Amino acid sequence: MAKEKTLIEMIDISKSYDGEVVLDEFNLNIKENEFITLLGPSGCGKTTTLRILGGFTKPDTGKVLFQGEDITDMPANKRPLNTVFQKYALFPHMNIADNIAFGLKISGKSQEYINDKIKYALKLVNLSGYEKRSVTSLSGGQQQRIAIARAIVNEPRVLLLDEPLGALDLKLRQEMQYELRRLKNELGITFLYVTHDQEEALTMSDKVVVMNQGYIQQMGTPEQIYNEPENAFVADFIGDSNIVDGTMVEDYVVKINGYKFPCIDSGFGKNKPVDVVIRPEDIEIGKPGQGIIDGVVTSNVFIGVHYEMCIEAGGIEWLAQNTRSFAVGQQVSIGVAPENIQIMNKPQSEDEEAISLEDVLGDESEGTPEEL
Amino acid sequence: MKKFLSAPFIVFILAGTLIPMCVIAYYGLTDRTGAFTIQNILAVGTGDHAKALGLSLLLSFAATLICLILAFPLGLILKDSKLGKKGFMVFLFILPMWMNFVLRTMAWQVLLEKSGPLGFLGIINTPTAVVLGMVYDYLPFMVLPIYNAMIKIDDSLIEAAYDLGASKSTVLRKVIAPLTIPGIVSGVTMVFVPSLTTFAISNMLGGGKVNLIGNIIEQEFTTSSNWNLGSGLSLVMMIFIVISMAFIEKFDKNGEGSMI
Ligand SMILES: Nc1ncnc2c1ncn2[C@@H]1O[C@H](COP(=O)(O)OP(=O)(O)OP(=O)(O)O)[C@@H](O)[C@H]1O
Ligand SMILES: [Mg+2]
């Protein structure tokens, strides 16, 4: 299937600034028509990755292939991709229409075609009638949308978007997320999307790449990333989580602070220290004695769809979410279904929180439970 | 409080600018007996004066153009050079400004003299030498504002232009040049106005053979001691300067919006 064809390959890309490593042997394959999101905390190298693809930063080592052809040294203006910059980068001396028309004029399109495209693009980003406005008269969110319009009118093969919805309010952001997805399906453009908003990454992407300190922590579908985080960093970064120390007593049993929890993981060996991840919505709250540990509710906040509660049980402060409310001070018990307990190997040392790609691959080749 | 703080400045403006201007206007619009006349103003249209004014306009226009042609690429080079080197290069260009203006011009006089190291060029006492002097003396005033405007251009704008497929020359014409206009406008003003009114450069490098309007005015005040005529011609110059600045300003408005 043509859809499965690899469009871009980043091979062993390394980049450091003044001796500080920003990307380390970074490998990424982007398939045609895919929506890939780079997700990670500030400073983890997301923009740098996009800049290397866009041709604005030269990697120290490694290659970028486009349809198998080496484009590492190809100048930015020759690359078949367009970027929506994190800082918008609209031309302040041109009005909105001229900004959008910039790329089209260069590629020698007719005035009629350009006018049509401007209208179409402005409608798409909900700013119809803004043709003659000056850039400086727009709000941050409006500028961001014009930046998107300016890039898509060129119908590039690949669109690189650097936090393109960061300045928008929630409602507009959701609308634009929907529009971008629709656009992707309509125009058949491959998207490489950068965000540090995990919810946005999970809702929009075909594939999510979680990065930290220049390493890929995990790559997979949104479901895989959310349900089967490969290490504590991913679990912590994707949504709220209870990450606690545990011991794998034997296959299918993990002990947390002396309490045994049945689980579905095996192959860790006996009495091996592990990290245990439990999502707040997976904590079942019941009457005392019903669950695995008895405890007491210490806080309760209504956060929209459900209540978010802290429950002190077995010497651990658990974060729990439930549609039912349990009053502060109430005696309860907590339990977790075996399939909702996620067991992960501990990083070797504190500063190895950023597990390198090799480690992740190494773990996989040993056959971690997640693989089974 | 604010008013009080600005008082010295207002006094300075009054004493240093406004009062002398009124004095010039008074002399320019009267004759030796003190009677009102516009003869001193109209005198600019007569033979020698008109010729000197024409030559002044021509030479200062040429000097401004040359400065612009030199300063624009120079600004680009300065903008692109590495941070440490940048400071040094800018320093190199400001360095001559620390030297007295008359001394700098005199240095060229010595260099260009018949017996001087550049005497073989044979340009001393010609308009060419005067233009050379103007360019040398006023080039920093063109380079600095252009450089300042250029470093203010966000690199991401240039990258965005490349990203949209622009070639180097398109980026230069469509992005860098329009965004440098405020700098060009101040540069042009700061080179054109002093070039138009100079008499020192034409005295030293023109050897009395290149008569600019500045020289004529100077002579009226010194050798001919006709303050009325000198003032009248000065008034005409002021009008010329105001008109040219308004013209440049308008050009700026068209190209740039309100960046100044
Ligand atoms: N031109 C540069 N010179 C020096 N250091 C740089 C440069 N560009 C990026 N860095 C450094 O590289 C690291 C990664 O930067 P990058 O912009 O890729 O982060 P990011 O993931 O996009 O972060 P954010 O979410 O804040 O945009 C940062 O520590 C940054 O300081
Ligand atoms: Mg960034």
Side-chain angles (χ1 to χ4, degrees):
Chain A
M1 223 162 81
K3 212 182 158 189
E4 292 298 306
K5 239 178 36 199
T6 296
L7 196 61
I8 293 180
E9 286 168 80
M10 297 180 84
I11 303 169
D12 290 337
I13 301 279
S14 295
K15 178 77 193 170
S16 28
Y17 287 110
D18 317 314
E20 192 201 331
V21 180
V22 175
L23 287 180
D24 198 0
E25 310 232 323
F26 188 89
N27 282 281
L28 183 65
N29 280 358
I30 302 170
K31 295 214 178 69
E32 194 148 7
N33 228 332
E34 204 171 25
F35 195 123
I36 295 198
T37 300
L38 300 182
L39 177 65
S42 192
C44 72
K46 304 182 297 287
T47 298
T48 307
T49 309
L50 283 203
R51 289 179 60 82
I52 288 172
L53 280 175
F56 307 113
T57 299
K58 250 193 147 42
D60 298 337
T61 61
K63 280 192 293 194
V64 180
L65 304 187
F66 185 85
Q67 292 185 320
E69 186 198 345
D70 191 342
I71 60 163
T72 320
D73 295 318
M74 186 187 276
N77 53 6
K78 297 277 187 303
R79 298 192 182 201
L81 21 88
N82 281 127
T83 310
V84 177
F85 289 86
Q86 190 166 9
K87 290 184 287 178
Y88 327 145
L90 298 178
F91 304 121
H93 57 295
M94 298 179 192
N95 66 21
I96 299 305
D98 288 338
N99 262 283
I100 297 175
F102 193 86
L104 296 172
K105 278 185 187 152
I106 285 167
S107 54
K109 297 284 193 294
S110 74
Q111 194 57 47
E112 206 179 331
Y113 177 89
I114 292 177
N115 289 342
D116 281 355
K117 273 283 178 189
I118 293 174
K119 266 222 171 65
Y120 162 77
L122 283 176
K123 185 147 175 270
L124 197 83
V125 296
N126 256 329
L127 290 173
S128 292
Y130 276 62
E131 282 91 343
K132 293 281 170 285
R133 290 278 290 269
S134 77
V135 168
T136 40
S137 74
L138 299 189
S139 72
Q142 289 170 333
Q143 293 189 26
Q144 216 159 34
R145 284 182 280 159
I146 296 298
I148 294 173
R150 185 178 66 176
I152 55 167
V153 289
N154 302 294
E155 299 178 9
R157 293 292 298 277
V158 184
L159 196 56
L160 311 175
L161 302 107
D162 201 347
E163 304 194 22
L165 309 181
L168 306 185
D169 61 70
L170 183 65
K171 192 162 174 305
L172 198 53
R173 191 156 71 224
Q174 283 169 346
E175 256 173 60
M176 284 302 297
Q177 285 173 359
Y178 174 78
E179 290 300 334
L180 285 176
R181 286 271 345 170
R182 193 174 60 83
L183 207 70
K184 187 217 137 204
N185 294 332
E186 228 168 67
L187 303 178
I189 302 177
T190 306
F191 274 55
L192 184 60
Y193 195 92
V194 163
T195 181
H196 53 228
D197 178 344
Q198 40 108 1
E199 207 176 299
E200 190 168 289
L202 295 179
T203 43
M204 294 182 80
S205 329
D206 299 324
K207 187 153 116 191
V208 179
V209 179
V210 184
M211 293 174 66
N212 189 30
Q213 299 179 5
Y215 293 106
I216 292 180
Q217 298 289 326
Q218 189 175 353
M219 201 172 345
T221 63
E223 290 86 359
Q224 282 169 340
I225 298 283
Y226 189 83
N227 293 329
E228 300 150 33
E230 275 170 12
N231 56 50
F233 174 82
V234 177
D236 192 30
F237 195 73
I238 306 292
D240 295 321
S241 268
N242 295 288
I243 304 176
V244 294
D245 292 331
T247 313
M248 207 61 193
V249 185
E250 52 187 53
D251 284 356
Y252 313 117
V253 179
V254 63
K255 197 154 87 182
I256 302 168
N257 262 14
Y259 295 89
K260 282 187 183 165
F261 284 73
C263 64
I264 57 166
D265 299 277
S266 62
F268 283 86
K270 284 203 186 298
N271 293 320
K272 174 112 192 289
V274 290
D275 278 328
V276 182
V277 176
I278 302 168
R279 296 281 175 198
E281 65 269 24
D282 291 334
I283 292 193
E284 293 154 12
I285 310 175
K287 292 205 178 74
Q290 264 186 352
I292 297 170
I293 319 177
D294 286 346
V296 59
V297 179
T298 57
S299 76
N300 182 336
V301 184
F302 181 59
I303 55 166
V305 187
H306 42 235
Y307 298 87
E308 191 165 279
M309 288 161 280
C310 283
I311 298 169
E312 169 97 44
I316 292 171
E317 181 105 302
W318 300 88
L319 186 69
Q321 290 173 352
N322 210 303
T323 45
R324 278 200 298 154
S325 176
F326 294 85
V328 174
Q330 193 174 342
Q331 295 291 328
V332 293
S333 73
I334 61 163
V336 189
E339 64 272 20
N340 287 334
I341 293 181
Q342 182 71 28
I343 309 283
M344 295 171 312
N345 277 310
K346 275 196 170 305
Q348 269 84 351
S349 68
E350 273 301 299
D351 48 26
E352 257 179 73
E353 283 287 31
I355 297 171
S356 71
L357 186 62
E358 291 92 311
D359 291 348
V360 174
L361 289 176
D363 286 347
E364 272 173 8
S365 57
E366 281 162 35
T368 50
E370 293 95 312
E371 279 280 287
L372 300 175
Chain B
M1 189 62 192
K2 262 203 184 123
K3 257 189 194 151
F4 174 73
L5 279 177
S6 62
F9 180 68
I10 290 172
V11 169
F12 184 79
I13 291 277
L14 277 177
T17 311
L18 227 53
I19 295 174
M21 289 244 273
C22 293
V23 174
I24 289 177
Y26 169 75
Y27 273 101
L29 294 171
T30 54
D31 61 16
R32 277 179 204 272
T33 64
F36 175 80
T37 173
I38 55 166
Q39 280 311 312
N40 298 323
I41 308 272
L42 295 180
V44 78
T46 61
D48 278 356
H49 296 161
K51 231 172 84 187
L53 180 61
L55 189 63
S56 284
L57 284 169
L58 186 72
L59 296 195
S60 45
F61 182 76
T64 309
L65 195 67
I66 294 171
C67 281
L68 184 60
I69 291 170
L70 291 175
F72 195 83
L74 245 155
L76 283 179
I77 293 169
L78 287 176
K79 176 182 165 62
D80 286 343
S81 52
K82 293 265 176 315
L83 210 63
K85 218 168 96 198
K86 196 180 281 183
F88 178 69
M89 300 257 288
V90 173
F91 173 74
L92 270 187
F93 275 92
I94 308 180
L95 198 60
M97 287 168 76
W98 291 3
M99 223 186 328
N100 183 282
F101 160 82
V102 178
L103 283 180
R104 270 183 287 155
T105 315
M106 222 180 246
W108 274 107
Q109 193 182 18
V110 174
L111 282 174
L112 292 175
E113 254 170 10
K114 289 262 154 18
S115 54
L118 295 177
F120 64 91
L121 291 174
I123 58 169
I124 188 78
N125 302 343
T126 65
T128 314
V130 176
V131 171
L132 175 76
M134 289 173 175
V135 169
Y136 182 77
D137 281 331
Y138 301 131
L139 184 60
F141 296 106
M142 185 70 92
V143 173
L144 279 183
I146 286 185
Y147 166 74
N148 271 332
M150 279 182 178
I151 53 166
K152 274 201 218 124
I153 301 175
D154 197 333
D155 279 340
S156 69
L157 292 182
I158 293 164
E159 287 179 350
Y162 281 124
D163 185 73
L164 293 164
S167 62
K168 262 208 168 71
S169 83
T170 310
V171 172
L172 211 58
R173 279 182 298 117
K174 291 280 159 70
V175 180
I176 296 179
L179 291 175
T180 309
I181 284 180
I184 295 177
V185 168
S186 354
V188 164
T189 317
M190 277 158 70
V191 173
F192 185 72
V193 171
S195 298
L196 190 63
T197 52
T198 187
F199 57 88
I201 297 175
S202 42
N203 264 350
M204 279 186 269
L205 299 176
K209 294 204 181 75
V210 181
N211 253 336
L212 300 185
I213 190 74
N215 300 90
I216 305 258
I217 295 174
E218 188 218 1
Q219 283 155 20
E220 294 305 333
F221 277 100
T222 53
T223 42
S224 332
S225 14
N226 186 347
W227 286 28
N228 302 87
L229 183 55
S231 301
L233 293 176
S234 299
L235 282 178
V236 175
M237 287 314 296
M238 279 183 215
I239 291 164
F240 259 91
I241 289 167
V242 169
I243 290 174
S244 59
M245 290 205 347
F247 181 73
I248 292 168
E249 195 84 352
K250 183 170 174 296
F251 179 65
D252 176 41
K253 287 266 155 58
N254 290 344
E256 189 38 59
S258 48
M259 284 284 279
I260 275 194

